[in-house]
Amino acid sequence: MWTDSLTVLTLLATGVAAGIMSEVVLAGIPVFASMSPERYVWTHQRLDRRYEPTMPLLVLGSLVTSAVLAGIGDSAAQRWLHGLAAAGLLGTALVSQLVAVPLLRRQVRDVDSAALPAAWRDPRPRWKRWHQLRTALALFALAATALAAVQR
């Protein structure tokens, strides 16, 4: 019974994380691309203040609960699907922490948007590719969790 509750919690957290990431792909990235570099940096700095504490908690929390469910799921199919979800969330977390966050730290968070350094390199094309990858991984995890939720 409590595995069902943990599955629902995992499904909700993974769905929120994947949904936020999808919104950025569908709306944020095109809007960022239309902005001047200075306006982009200014805007991303302000958005990041809200996403940064929330997204790691959602992704890592879902990763932990998926891993737990991979070990204690009620059926082999559930355990396998939760394991796949955990792998997708681990990929999401690794892309975020090893690539996307350091890239933004160097080119967005730690710069003055009103006076970009001469050596500033626009991170948008590279960040877009990495963000699309982590979004695909999160959506994969969501699909695996949803399938696990309906297995018996």
Side-chain angles (χ1 to χ4, degrees):
M1 174 64 183
W2 73 274
T3 56
D4 289 340
S5 298
L6 192 57
T7 298
V8 169
L9 177 65
T10 304
L11 187 58
L12 288 171
T14 304
V16 170
I20 291 170
M21 290 181 190
S22 295
E23 180 280 326
V24 172
V25 168
L26 295 172
I29 289 173
V31 170
F32 289 158
S34 72
M35 295 177 173
S36 68
E38 295 80 9
R39 188 66 173 170
Y40 159 71
V41 169
W42 184 89
T43 302
H44 208 139
Q45 286 172 340
R46 274 132 193 92
L47 290 173
D48 221 28
R49 291 179 192 154
R50 304 291 191 256
Y51 287 131
E52 189 50 37
T54 304
M55 294 305 291
L57 290 173
L58 287 170
V59 172
L60 294 176
S62 296
L63 171 57
V64 168
T65 57
S66 291
V68 167
L69 287 163
I72 64 167
D74 295 332
S75 71
Q78 286 178 330
R79 290 189 297 276
W80 186 76
L81 288 162
H82 284 301
L84 288 175
L89 290 161
L90 178 61
T92 301
L94 289 173
V95 169
S96 295
Q97 297 307 311
L98 298 178
V99 183
V101 170
L103 177 62
L104 289 181
R105 186 175 298 119
R106 287 189 309 272
Q107 300 298 329
V108 175
R109 290 183 190 159
D110 295 342
V111 300
D112 179 359
S113 63
L116 296 179
W120 186 80
R121 291 182 47 214
D122 192 339
R124 288 176 283 189
R126 187 169 172 221
W127 184 82
K128 173 186 172 181
R129 289 188 300 273
W130 287 108
H131 183 74
Q132 288 171 327
L133 173 60
R134 69 182 173 173
T135 301
L137 290 165
L139 289 168
F140 172 80
L142 176 60
T145 303
L147 287 170
V150 297
Q151 294 297 310
R152 289 286 166 228

